[in-house]
Amino acid sequence: MLRPAPHIRYHIAAILAAHWIQFVLQYKRWIRPVVFENVRKVLACRTPVLGCHIYQCKNCGHIELIPHSCKSRFCPTCGKHATDVWANQVLNRLLNVAYHHLIMAIPWQLRIVLLMNRQAGLNLLVRAATEAIQQWARDVKGMRMGILIVIHTFGADMKWHPHIYPVEFPKGNPIQQGELDRDRGRPEC
């Protein structure tokens, strides 16, 4: 297998700049508008296209230009920052309690179905996972369980691989007598 030299770093923006037009010519009808928008942002990230802030040292007069970022979740630099901020906010709102981390994936045979209608398919995936976990908690443990779900649509190899990471908190509230029938409806998401 051909491997890049360890000192060579590949940047998404450089790869997009070199190959995006050719890719669009070949696959335009399958590219969603949000992809066009985010590729445009990544290509402009930290370039003069987005502008910059100019800072000057009062002592020596040195001028520093700080380029604006694109703030796209698709951008490896900006997206990483946005993910870190989001994760920190979520973790700061969670209680210090025990939890279980699950992974629920769609079989490869059904992935094309989700690709045809992403929003409805991903919503259905989340709803099914939520209902399955809540039903298990209700029927087996006799409790309501808190769940936090994160959706990933691509695997580490950047191929379409919709899967979710439900984080469930097993020490939920016990269901009181008479609540069981009322609680069998759809979960509140």
Side-chain angles (χ1 to χ4, degrees):
M1 171 183 243
L2 190 62
R3 295 181 193 270
H7 65 280
I8 298 175
R9 294 186 63 198
Y10 294 96
H11 295 276
I12 294 291
I15 294 168
L16 289 171
H19 303 286
W20 178 245
I21 293 172
Q22 181 183 353
F23 182 82
V24 169
L25 291 174
Q26 190 170 354
Y27 298 105
K28 184 175 183 174
R29 65 181 174 171
W30 292 294
I31 303 173
R32 297 178 302 132
V34 69
V35 174
F36 282 106
E37 177 186 340
N38 281 288
V39 168
R40 181 187 53 76
K41 287 179 179 179
V42 169
L43 289 173
C45 189
R46 301 181 196 287
T47 68
V49 172
L50 294 180
C52 65
H53 276 83
I54 302 172
Y55 297 96
Q56 184 173 16
C57 176
K58 291 179 183 178
N59 297 328
C60 69
H62 173 75
I63 295 176
E64 188 76 31
L65 301 176
I66 307 297
H68 293 167
S69 66
C70 66
K71 298 177 180 57
S72 169
R73 292 182 302 158
F74 182 72
C75 178
T77 303
C78 301
K80 167 84 168 85
H81 175 72
T83 300
D84 289 346
V85 168
W86 173 83
N88 199 26
Q89 289 173 345
V90 169
L91 290 173
N92 285 331
R93 282 186 267 161
L94 295 177
L95 298 173
N96 186 14
V97 296
Y99 64 91
H100 294 293
H101 176 217
L102 308 172
I103 300 174
M104 297 178 162
I106 295 294
W108 67 267
Q109 298 93 333
L110 297 177
R111 291 180 193 162
I112 190 68
V113 175
L114 261 72
L115 193 54
M116 291 179 194
N117 190 340
R118 290 170 62 105
Q119 186 172 358
L122 292 172
N123 285 339
L124 182 62
L125 176 62
V126 169
R127 193 175 317 123
T130 302
E131 289 178 5
I133 292 169
Q134 287 185 341
Q135 181 180 354
W136 173 82
R138 195 172 41 241
D139 296 349
V140 175
K141 297 291 188 178
M143 66 175 61
R144 271 189 231 102
M145 193 171 290
I147 304 170
L148 168 71
I149 294 181
V150 177
I151 301 172
H152 285 202
T153 52
F154 292 88
D157 60 358
M158 297 303 290
K159 292 180 182 166
W160 173 245
H161 174 55
H163 55 288
I164 59 173
Y165 292 94
V167 177
E168 50 99 2
F169 307 94
K171 301 232 179 205
N173 295 331
I175 296 175
Q176 303 299 320
Q177 186 68 22
E179 285 188 304
L180 195 56
D181 292 332
R182 184 185 76 218
D183 195 50
R184 291 219 184 251
R186 291 211 177 271
E188 293 180 32
C189 296

